[in-house]
Amino acid sequence: MTSPIDVEDGGTAAVADDAPEPVKTEDAKSHEGRSPGQLMWLRFKRDRTGVVSACVVILYFLVAALAPLIAKAYGKNPYTLYAREPDYPFLLDDFAMPTGSFGGMSGDFWFGVEPKLGRDVLTMLLYGMRTSLYMAVAVTTLCVVTGVLIGMVSGFSGGRVDYWLGRITDFFLAFPQQLFFIAFMPVVTAMFVSPQDETPTYLRAVAITLVMWFLGWMGLARLVRGSVLTLREREFVEAAKVSGASPWRIVRKEILPNIVTPILVQATYILPSTILSIAFLSYIGVGFVEPTPDWGRMFAIGADVYEQDPMFMFFPGVALVVFVLSFNLLGDSVRDAFDPKTGR
């Protein structure tokens, strides 16, 4: 069977009524009728590197959250000086170094013991991971919220608001961050605690959070501002303005959903960078101090004894490298899932 159809010169052409319809590819079928979020999730699941990295990151957070339970089941804690316990009389030798091979690794101390004091390395690592991750999540959350708000207001408002917020951002960017951390941390703690008294751990945590937040939001604010400046001139934003939508609705419904990708990707880079900064502060002695378990303090101890006991630095070093690498790879995978045109 055939049926006539009009052609450009006014004539007709015959086509078969039973002509086969175009065949849809498997990829087109899988994307049919799916939301952008579902498409992103499908692309992310196909990225093996991203899935493995996400599993590693989730495992770290689970271990950090369950550190007290793991330590209880293991039967050790990061504060007891086991070298002074009568149950372990030969834990350290005459030079205060762990007896046995590989830093004193044994059935009782799976990752060995700390030189000089004889604390358990495994529980020190677990609680140090807990301290660093909790702090990094708090700092990253504050930096992301502040950066998004300032960048959004600056880019959408324009004019004098954009100018002055830009100058404030430039002012904070001018601070040398590492030097400021070193110089300002003792000042912050001295404002609340007498030099003769020991600074409480919670106060040190709050001071570190405030200082890192103070100097950590500017990069994201610049990124968000640039994205908003581009989007506010687009047709769909102009159409929303013409329809009478309020600025808050335009920002919330039209602009913010279109800048989620750079915000998430930037957050995945801020968090591991924050962990490294926290470790650096503790390493140089202006972050967490004894007896608070922390990755940076473990590196500081290991740097003093690496010739006699290189294994003490091995486990925290591997744990930190694996976490930072996994989070960076996760950020790349999230970016590729949101925007397949940037795929590797």
Side-chain angles (χ1 to χ4, degrees), residues 4 10 21 65 84 95 107 145 171 177 192 199 212 217 224 239 241 245 250 266 271 275-276 288-289 334 339:
E21 295 183 0
R84 301 178 184 177
F95 300 97
V145 172
F171 172 76
Q177 292 192 8
F192 301 96
T199 304
M212 300 193 72
W217 55 268
V224 171
K241 292 179 180 178
I250 294 173
Q266 189 68 14
L271 193 143
I275 289 179
L276 294 176
F288 292 105
V289 297
V334 170
D339 188 2

Side-chain angles (χ1 to χ4, degrees), residues 311-331:
M311 286 301 297
F312 182 80
M313 193 181 288
F314 175 78
F315 290 111
V318 170
L320 185 59
V321 169
V322 169
F323 180 81
V324 173
L325 177 62
S326 298
F327 225 104
N328 287 334
L329 292 175
L330 178 61

Side-chain angles (χ1 to χ4, degrees), residues 272-296:
S273 175
T274 301
I275 289 179
L276 294 176
S277 297
I278 294 171
F280 169 74
L281 290 177
S282 298
Y283 180 83
I284 62 177
V286 297
F288 292 105
V289 297
E290 293 281 4
T292 305
D294 181 73
W295 265 338

